[in-house]
Each structure stands twice: as structure tokens, then as C-alpha cells.
Amino acid sequence: RIPRDVAIAHITELGALTPLPTIHSPFIPTDPALSAASPTSPLPTSPPPDLDTPDELAIRSLLLGITHRTAGAYGPALAFLVDAHARHTQVKVSTWVGGVALFELAVLALKQAQARTEGVPGVDAAQSDVGKEELGEVESREVWLAAMKEAEGRLEKALALATQQVDLSSRLDSRIAMLKDEMAMKREMLAMIV
């Protein structure tokens, strides 16, 4: 629900925390100090990293995925969300990260379909890495159906991770139910297109 400029500000802050993210983003500058160092000169002693637990790294990836999606950078959003989900087996406290990452991946699949068929809401076409395509009604319907199938698969996996022992499981369950309702309404609308 945040505007694009606020999302980019969050990306800049989160992307500056060490260790630096290894996923390429147009909003996260590469560290000039590392690229300027010659391979033969030793790197200066650096302070301890800002993020030093699997939980912190997983949450940063999750937040970077969400904020990149908001900014219209769907490629990096996908990479960060996949990274957040991949780290869920290592987290100790933030057991909700895996399920939320899968939920956000489902949302991303639907946002990508929306971008291809309608454009990215609130983001100028030149600022997004997914643009509106000139699709007919039937092609547009197929894009949506494929995205919903992908989203449903991810939502089922998210539900499987959201057990009673997982923090925020009831909140995640509610969000999944609401998204499924929205997808059902979209499916009804698409059924009218022949």
C-alpha cells in the first residue's frame, strides 16, 4: 500500500545493510569499495555485518521482494522472494517467513499477469520491467488463468507451512482465504470471455 518512492527508499535502506544482497537490483547500488579494490590488495578490516542470523537475512529478502514488487521491478522481486523462501528452513524464530514468502510469490504471479494485461497500477510503464502487452481477450484470459494456477499452487504450499506452531499462521490463513476469494471473482469474470 506504500507508494513507489517510499518503496524505493526502503529498498535503498535494506540494500545497504551488510552483508550486501547478491541479487541484482536497479535500486541497490553495487559496493564501489569492493569493485575498486585490486585482487592483490587485501580488503580493509570491516566491521561485523549488520545482519548476522538466518532470520534477519530471510526477513530482509522478504521485505526486498515486496518492496521491489511495489516499485514495479518484478524480476528482482521474484529473486528476493524465492531467496526468502529458500532460507525458511534455516530460520530459528521467524517461522512465518516461509509461508509469507510463498503467499507473496502468489501475489507476484497475479501482479505480473495484471501488468501484462493492464499495466502496472501506479507505476509508469517505463519504470517497470514488465510491460503491458497487446493481447486479445482470449490471450489475456489465458495469461490470467495460468497466473491463477501458479498462485493457487503457491497458496497451497503456504497453507502447508502455516501450522499451529508457526507464528502468524492464523493471519496468513486469513490473507490466503481473501486472496482465494478475489481469484474466484476474477475467474467468474474470465468465464464470461469466450
Side-chain angles (χ1 to χ4, degrees), residues 22-98:
T22 56
I23 296 168
H24 174 72
S25 163
F27 305 115
I28 301 174
T30 55
D31 186 357
L34 292 177
S35 58
S38 73
T40 57
S41 66
L43 290 174
T45 305
S46 58
D50 298 313
L51 309 175
D52 60 1
T53 68
D55 290 59
E56 292 172 340
L57 294 169
I59 292 169
R60 176 180 64 179
S61 287
L62 177 65
L63 293 173
L64 283 170
I66 294 167
T67 51
H68 275 85
R69 183 188 68 220
T70 301
Y74 292 154
L78 176 63
F80 280 115
L81 292 172
V82 166
D83 183 62
H85 178 257
R87 293 176 185 274
H88 91 276
T89 57
Q90 302 164 356
V91 299
K92 302 285 188 261
V93 178
S94 308
T95 55
W96 50 270
V97 169

Side-chain angles (χ1 to χ4, degrees), residues 91-111:
V91 299
K92 302 285 188 261
V93 178
S94 308
T95 55
W96 50 270
V97 169
V100 172
L102 286 168
F103 173 83
E104 295 297 340
L105 282 164
V107 171
L108 178 61
L110 299 171
K111 290 288 188 182

Side-chain angles (χ1 to χ4, degrees), residues 111-127:
K111 290 288 188 182
Q112 287 174 310
Q114 182 180 24
R116 288 183 62 198
T117 59
E118 304 165 19
V120 181
V123 176
D124 186 295
Q127 298 172 324

Side-chain angles (χ1 to χ4, degrees), residues 10-23:
H10 287 308
I11 292 168
T12 302
E13 280 188 46
L14 292 166
L17 297 173
T18 57
L20 298 175
T22 56
I23 296 168

Side-chain angles (χ1 to χ4, degrees), residues 65-193:
I66 294 167
T67 51
H68 275 85
R69 183 188 68 220
T70 301
Y74 292 154
L78 176 63
F80 280 115
L81 292 172
V82 166
D83 183 62
H85 178 257
R87 293 176 185 274
H88 91 276
T89 57
Q90 302 164 356
V91 299
K92 302 285 188 261
V93 178
S94 308
T95 55
W96 50 270
V97 169
V100 172
L102 286 168
F103 173 83
E104 295 297 340
L105 282 164
V107 171
L108 178 61
L110 299 171
K111 290 288 188 182
Q112 287 174 310
Q114 182 180 24
R116 288 183 62 198
T117 59
E118 304 165 19
V120 181
V123 176
D124 186 295
Q127 298 172 324
S128 177
D129 60 4
V130 176
K132 182 179 177 184
E133 300 173 21
E134 294 303 320
L135 301 172
E137 284 186 353
V138 173
E139 293 169 310
S140 177
R141 178 179 183 270
E142 292 304 315
V143 167
W144 274 107
L145 291 175
M148 286 191 282
K149 181 177 181 181
E150 179 182 344
E152 286 169 344
R154 291 198 166 143
L155 292 176
E156 291 307 315
K157 290 178 184 176
L159 279 172
L161 288 178
T163 63
Q164 294 291 337
Q165 294 77 29
V166 174
D167 291 338
L168 304 175
S169 63
S170 61
R171 181 172 171 85
L172 181 58
D173 289 349
S174 298
R175 293 184 76 199
I176 289 171
M178 287 189 298
L179 185 56
K180 284 184 172 185
D181 289 345
E182 287 183 39
M183 288 171 34
M185 287 189 302
K186 183 70 175 181
R187 214 177 230 105
E188 287 177 19
M189 290 169 44
L190 292 172
M192 294 181 218
I193 300 171

